[in-house]
Amino acid sequence: MVHAAQAMAMAKAKSTALSIADKCRNILAASWEAHLNTIKADAKGSKGEIYTSRVHYMVQKGTPYLIVPENDMHNINIVIDERGSLSVCSPIPGRLTTLLKSLGKLPPRIAMTGDVLMMKETKVQAIADSLKKAILKEHKAATEASHGVSAILSSASATCRSRSEGLLSLLSEKSSYSIFKFEIGSCAYIDSSGSNHNIELDNFEPPNADLLLPFSAKLIDGINRSDPRRRALIFFCFEYFNVTARDALLLSIDHHGFDVLAKVPERESLLDVPRQYHWKEFRFSFKEAAKDIEDFCSMLVALEEEAVQSVKSYSGLG
């Protein structure tokens, strides 16, 4: 029988599941790399074939701006045809990538269509300056983080980067790139099973300046590489969902909570029958929104302490 405190926690966790629009916004805010598709062109006009390359981007006042190397074919293509599409994957670092592949799943992603627009030189400079300020602000937040947060970030793999680390090279005077405005015409969320979920643009609010989601990959990888943190995730599954997990990994984070992928029993065990396990997602929500990485880590610790106290209250150990 599930304890009343557990039941309340489970009800809260289930009632605050993220909307599709929220998932799209979080992916866009967490990454800085995308695959841009434009229609190939030459001196005679459009050739009708698709050209794809990886580009960087940032979101400024709700609008994505693409950072494209000056020698990239996109620069020529959009002069002839402004139509383009953009694909952005959720950051899935470290062991998560291997695990999802073994389960036949892909990282969730968003796919957008729209127009890739050239801007006036004065506007380009303003966006470039804004980009530099955002990168430096994120870099400062990481370097001035508390010991606990720094420990998690530094535990991440060397190949796992925050957005500021990924974009720092753009601040070099030797860097040569163009900046384009991406005017969104449609947006769809593609889940890890490959199912397509179109969203109404009227209900979609692109992300604003953020000091949490740009650190998603490093926070996720850092926590997943910590045995005590992994054990806490297993404990959460037991306390808030009354399931006994054999293993657990942090899958995604956002301002309102986090998602865990846990290895749990498929059904009640039978005598003389080996227990079968499968990987299942669980959603955990904070009581209030986390503003930045410090807030997120503090709330994660508070949730651990709350779970421990809850167990003590009904186990007689308190």
Side-chain angles (χ1 to χ4, degrees), residues 277-296:
Y277 287 82
H278 67 146
W279 290 92
K280 183 177 179 180
E281 289 185 29
F282 295 92
R283 171 73 185 173
F284 299 89
S285 300
F286 296 139
K287 293 179 180 177
E288 58 186 54
K291 298 187 296 293
D292 51 30
I293 48 175
E294 292 288 345
D295 253 10
F296 182 90

Side-chain angles (χ1 to χ4, degrees), residues 28 58-65 182 184 204-209:
L28 197 58
M58 67 171 290
V59 180
Q60 174 72 12
K61 294 182 179 179
T63 299
Y65 289 92
F182 187 79
I184 303 173
F204 180 58
E205 295 180 11
N208 293 314

